[in-house]
Amino acid sequence: MSTAAVRRTPAPEDRERIHPLVGLDYRVRVPAMLIVAFTVIAHFLDKPQGPLLWAAIVFTGLLWPQIAYLVASRARDSKRAELANLLFDSFMLGCWAAVISFSLLPSLMIVSAILTACLSVGGPRFAVWALGSIAAGALLMASVTGFHVVTEDSLITSVLSVAGTLTFMGIFGFHSHIQTRRVVKAKKELADQKKQIQDQYTIIEKALQSALDANDAARQATQAKSAFLANMSHELRTPLNAIIGYSEMLTEDAEAAGQTDQVADLRRIQNAGKHLLGLINGVLDLSKVEAGKMKLYLETFDVGKVIEDVVGTARPLVENNGNRLEVLCPPDIGSIREDITKVRQVLLNLLSNAGKFTENGIVTLEVWRENRLDGSWVLFRVRDTGIGMTPEQRSRLFQPFMQADAATSRKYGGTGLGLALCQNFCTMMGGEVTVESEAGKGSAFTVRLPGEIENFDGEATSVRVSTLGRMKLSDIALAGARAASPTEAALPKCVLVIDPDPNVHDLMARTCSKAGVAVIGARDADEGLRLARERKPDVITLDVIMPGADGWTLLETLKSDPAVSTTPVLVVTIADERDRAIALGASDYFVKPVDQERLIAAFGKFRTDRVA
Amino acid sequence: MSKILIVEDNEMNRDMLSRRLARSGYEVVSAVHGEEGVAKAESEVPDLILMDLSLPVMDGWEATRRIKAKRDTASIPVIGLSAHAMKDDETRARQSGCDDFDTKPVELPRLLGKIEALLNRRPSL
């Protein structure tokens, strides 16, 4: 690896970790430098030398391996420091070759050992650097000591050199054997993991399918139930109309005849009938919402006018209990586009509730506009100083047929459907109802409706069918996807996957199609480059390890081609060479096996970067 | 005395409405389905028609269209009545030619108001 390629500051976790190469080199360097030292001593055995040579021999044989280890292990980028150490090794051994007058066997041992080491650690380019370093050391030393060449060695030197060469070859051979075994083992593990992941994926897919099926069945059952309820309600209303109508007629007759005792009883029949009718109408409305048959009749209307109208109707109801009704509505509140009947029904319901549960108090209706990140809203708040609710009562509030409790129903009457309907209507209209309340202090209901006159298509009214049932379902289906990819909106349209492994293509196609991303695939470098140029994908994923071609070269080509150089490339591979990939222009780096959700989330990230 | 034609298939509703209208001082004739309604509109020449919209044989919308299409009956005001308090019922009723619309169950004072308004608009014969 060329040192020029290592430009990125290592990630924090890398600083904590010493590269395994440092330890490996230490274990090789300790015996290697000793062998070199003894070979040098053997060379000078019958020629007495000064203390300088002895110092150099001690430094090389005993001190340098320790120093090299310390330097590399304390470096911020330990791998880079170790490569520098290897270059220093090369330089120093070049010097020794000159000192021993290029004596054939020892020099051969020295050069072959350091070259093999550099080649195995840093690859051919690094080996060339090392060769240069050896030459530099040799030239420098030769220029100091003079250029001698000795062709004959003493027996002991030759024996030591041959033994040293054999030792090095043994070490590297053994090392290569271990590496091969590791690679084979890792590949096998990877295949196992892949299979496991795919098995799990299949199980999850099946579970999801059965959950969706169950959901479907439940929805059908709910719809059937709602349709039944709607029919029932209609059938119930006909006889009820007769009960109410005839009791009204009898009341009129009795009043005309002055039979006051009968009038009271007849009015009870009427009131009971009207209460029942209200219940049935509520059930009918609720079942329509649930069955997806409730329609919204959208029209643009003035909020102020509706408030005026609603207050007119509600004032007698509220003031019945000795309450005061206060209205706070700015005159410039403007218009909204909603179903006016339902808005009126919701507000009337909240006001009459407030009046019902408050005695000798104040009921306030407040209207205002709010502009928030998610748009413009109109808010209506009905606040009372009535009996209020405990948190427990509040939690049951919006459920059909649930009043605060049974005692409340007896005392205050009512069907218990009003608030459930209010909430359903508001949800249909794209808003919501919220409540704040404290027992004994009163309640405040806030309705929030979209304040913009949106999607106005020119017609005076348009119809929006309630899709509450379906909305709930799709929410469930989408929840997972949303949680996994918050950048969903920014996901790319098209991803090019360059990978020799057909399983990867299969997996990517499945996950991406779920996220709504189109996938095109290439199995080799040439096809990958061609598709990148022709199809202009938004994001490319690339496995740099490809048979018969160098993925690194492809990455360089992609990044230097002006037509595709701006397309983010995510390197997804088994090799651990993040720095190299980033240096060559990759946007991100993933080591296989990859968490698909993370990968897809990364697509979104780089898509946004690119657009920005 | 103004004559009102009630077109309504439900016997109890028809009975109640005709008795209450009779008590309010109207002469009442009735029909049980749309086709009969159209025929009675021609033969009885009422001053006003109360037309239920969901009717057997011929529905109220179609009956109203036919009444409004005939020269002899076109000027008779028609009030559409529907048990579905749906806005599209009202829209459809007005498109068919109804002059006004009300929902069932009938609230008598309100309906009487609508009847009077339409009768007063029309110069009596």
Side-chain angles (χ1 to χ4, degrees):
Chain A
M1 179 187 230
S2 82
T3 46
V6 193
R7 222 170 269 139
R8 230 176 71 98
T9 320
E13 65 265 27
D14 291 341
R15 276 180 220 160
E16 306 298 322
R17 222 188 71 219
I18 302 170
H19 199 284
L21 193 59
V22 178
L24 182 72
D25 273 357
Y26 177 71
R27 287 194 292 276
V28 178
R29 199 176 268 125
V30 169
M33 288 305 175
L34 269 179
I35 290 171
V36 169
F38 280 121
T39 314
V40 173
I41 292 169
H43 180 83
F44 288 111
L45 208 55
D46 42 4
K47 305 160 205 144
Q49 291 292 327
L52 197 65
L53 184 77
W54 281 108
I57 287 172
V58 168
F59 174 78
T60 307
L62 294 174
L63 296 180
W64 166 242
Q66 317 298 330
I67 294 169
Y69 180 75
L70 275 176
V71 167
S73 61
R74 292 188 178 190
R76 265 158 60 93
D77 183 345
S78 62
K79 185 179 175 185
R80 201 177 157 182
E82 185 51 39
L83 290 175
N85 283 342
L86 277 171
L87 286 180
F88 186 73
D89 278 325
S90 311
F91 179 81
M92 199 166 62
L93 291 175
C95 291
W96 280 120
V99 170
I100 58 173
S101 310
F102 303 107
S103 171
L104 190 64
L105 281 174
S107 302
L108 196 67
M109 174 194 75
I110 286 170
V111 172
S112 67
I114 187 66
L115 268 184
T116 317
C118 291
L119 194 63
S120 81
V121 167
R125 276 172 77 179
F126 186 70
V128 172
W129 279 75
L131 206 59
S133 223
I134 295 170
L139 281 176
L140 189 79
M141 195 46 78
S143 68
V144 175
T145 60
F147 195 79
H148 313 286
V149 176
V150 177
T151 46
E152 280 190 15
D153 291 309
S154 67
L155 183 64
I156 185 152
T157 315
S158 305
V159 169
L160 267 174
S161 305
V162 171
T165 310
L166 288 176
T167 309
F168 291 136
M169 285 172 72
I171 289 173
F172 292 122
F174 183 63
H175 184 232
S176 153
H177 168 70
I178 288 178
Q179 291 299 320
T180 313
R181 266 176 54 176
R182 276 191 194 155
V183 169
V184 170
K185 203 177 152 205
K187 271 194 179 154
K188 197 170 160 287
E189 274 173 10
L190 196 67
D192 285 352
Q193 275 180 5
K194 214 181 265 172
K195 195 176 168 300
Q196 268 180 19
I197 290 170
Q198 260 157 11
D199 287 353
Q200 280 170 0
Y201 189 84
T202 316
I203 292 169
I204 291 169
E205 223 175 24
K206 272 186 192 153
L208 184 68
Q209 192 51 51
S210 66
L212 286 175
D213 287 350
N215 238 328
D216 239 28
R219 188 180 51 149
Q220 279 173 11
T222 307
Q223 277 191 349
K225 184 199 75 180
S226 299
F228 171 76
L229 264 177
N231 285 337
M232 273 300 286
S233 302
H234 193 71
E235 293 305 314
L236 288 170
R237 265 145 59 118
T238 311
L240 200 52
N241 283 338
I243 293 172
I244 295 169
Y246 281 108
S247 64
E248 265 174 21
M249 284 170 66
L250 286 172
T251 314
E252 286 159 18
D253 288 346
E255 274 171 345
Q259 296 162 311
T260 40
D261 51 336
Q262 281 192 19
V263 169
D265 289 348
L266 287 167
R267 284 214 190 280
R268 284 193 192 105
I269 298 177
Q270 263 182 59
N271 287 339
K274 279 185 179 161
H275 179 82
L276 191 53
L277 189 64
L279 261 174
I280 290 168
N281 286 341
V283 169
L284 183 64
D285 280 354
L286 266 186
S287 62
K288 269 188 199 151
V289 172
E290 277 176 11
K293 284 187 182 151
M294 181 60 84
K295 289 175 181 172
L296 286 180
Y297 299 89
L298 299 179
E299 55 190 298
T300 307
F301 59 86
D302 184 45
V303 178
K305 283 231 174 73
V306 174
I307 296 294
E308 217 171 280
D309 178 31
V310 167
V311 168
T313 316
R315 194 176 289 281
L317 296 171
V318 173
E319 289 177 351
N320 241 354
N321 267 347
N323 299 311
R324 202 167 74 232
L325 175 60
E326 286 179 358
V327 181
L328 302 165
C329 176
D332 59 343
I333 188 74
S335 302
I336 57 174
R337 185 167 173 75
E338 281 299 352
D339 186 322
I340 186 168
T341 316
K342 294 195 171 59
V343 172
R344 201 185 279 140
Q345 198 174 334
V346 167
L347 292 177
L348 261 179
N349 192 286
L350 294 180
L351 281 170
S352 71
N353 268 353
K356 200 192 291 178
F357 295 109
T358 312
E359 271 175 43
N360 303 318
I362 302 164
V363 174
T364 321
L365 170 61
E366 206 182 330
V367 189
W368 73 98
R369 272 185 185 268
E370 245 178 50
N371 289 310
R372 309 189 327 181
L373 281 179
D374 53 351
S376 160
W377 299 88
V378 172
L379 291 99
F380 306 84
R381 177 172 294 157
V382 176
R383 187 191 296 277
D384 65 54
T385 55
I387 58 172
M389 284 168 284
T390 63
E392 205 223 331
Q393 289 171 331
R394 213 164 50 217
S395 67
R396 290 196 304 256
L397 198 63
F398 292 109
Q399 292 171 24
F401 297 109
M402 286 284 183
Q403 282 190 324
D405 53 43
T408 318
S409 304
R410 273 198 303 279
K411 185 170 174 198
Y412 295 97
T415 60
L417 286 175
L419 282 175
L421 265 180
C422 281
Q423 199 188 38
N424 277 321
F425 285 171
C426 288
T427 313
M428 272 180 76
M429 293 190 281
E432 58 172 7
V433 189
T434 51
V435 62
E436 295 158 56
S437 180
E438 204 177 317
K441 297 218 170 141
S443 310
F445 288 84
T446 310
V447 172
R448 194 159 63 98
L449 293 176
E452 275 152 31
I453 304 174
E454 32 121 33
N455 305 329
F456 183 51
D457 48 14
E459 277 178 61
T461 61
S462 59
V463 177
R464 196 198 289 162
V465 180
S466 71
T467 49
L468 221 57
R470 265 165 288 157
M471 263 162 53
K472 278 175 188 158
L473 235 198
S474 53
D475 281 354
I476 295 164
L478 278 176
R482 285 216 185 102
S485 54
T487 49
E488 184 183 44
L491 276 185
K493 286 195 195 73
C494 177
V495 171
L496 170 60
V497 177
I498 308 174
D499 200 303
D501 185 350
N503 289 325
V504 170
H505 289 278
D506 193 38
L507 198 62
M508 286 294 289
R510 275 195 279 177
T511 10
C512 285
S513 73
K514 285 223 164 66
V517 178
V519 176
I520 44 180
R523 298 281 291 278
D524 58 56
D526 292 343
E527 199 188 355
L529 190 60
R530 186 176 60 79
L531 287 175
R533 286 180 177 146
E534 281 174 10
R535 305 283 292 274
K536 297 269 184 307
D538 298 308
V539 174
I540 299 171
T541 75
L542 168 68
D543 187 348
V544 286
I545 312 287
M546 278 189 283
D550 187 1
W552 296 109
T553 316
L554 175 59
L555 179 55
E556 277 184 296
T557 316
L558 285 171
K559 283 293 149 189
S560 56
D561 182 340
V564 291
S565 64
T566 52
T567 311
V569 178
L570 312 190
V571 172
V572 182
T573 188
I574 50 167
D576 185 12
E577 294 199 70
R578 186 189 179 87
D579 292 343
R580 182 173 176 190
I582 301 291
L584 287 176
S587 297
D588 206 344
Y589 192 93
F590 292 86
V591 179
K592 287 182 180 178
V594 179
D595 177 357
Q596 293 284 320
E597 300 287 4
R598 245 185 66 215
L599 189 60
I600 290 194
F603 290 168
K605 196 166 81 194
F606 290 107
R607 175 79 202 285
T608 330
D609 290 349
R610 188 186 167 206
V611 170
Chain B
M1 200 198 295
S2 301
K3 190 198 269 183
I4 294 179
L5 168 63
I6 299 175
V7 190
E8 162 71 83
D9 61 319
N10 183 286
E11 195 203 328
M12 280 193 289
N13 282 343
R14 200 172 57 237
D15 176 51
M16 272 194 297
L17 203 51
S18 25
R19 279 166 61 188
R20 295 173 91 177
L21 287 174
R23 241 188 343 216
S24 302
Y26 297 99
E27 185 191 344
V28 180
V29 286
S30 58
V32 296
H33 55 74
E35 216 171 79
E36 196 189 346
V38 177
K40 288 235 168 130
E42 251 180 316
S43 60
E44 300 278 348
V45 199
D47 298 297
L48 186 135
I49 301 172
L50 292 176
M51 177 73 74
D52 184 24
L53 295 172
S54 320
L55 288 171
V57 187
M58 179 195 293
D59 69 28
W61 291 287
E62 180 57 29
T64 309
R65 251 192 301 279
R66 297 206 179 178
I67 289 167
K68 291 291 179 183
K70 285 185 183 161
R71 203 156 48 87
D72 296 348
T73 54
S75 61
I76 305 172
V78 178
I79 299 180
L81 292 176
S82 166
H84 316 273
M86 297 288 227
K87 222 168 188 161
D88 57 351
D89 277 9
E90 180 172 352
T91 314
R92 279 179 65 198
R94 290 191 189 275
Q95 277 165 2
S96 310
C98 287
D99 300 86
D100 207 342
F101 177 85
D102 209 345
T103 54
K104 298 199 290 187
V106 164
E107 257 183 59
L108 198 61
R110 191 175 67 200
L111 183 62
L112 285 176
K114 288 183 178 178
I115 291 173
E116 279 305 309
L118 283 174
L119 287 176
N120 291 338
R121 207 177 66 186
R122 188 177 176 234
S124 50
L125 299 171

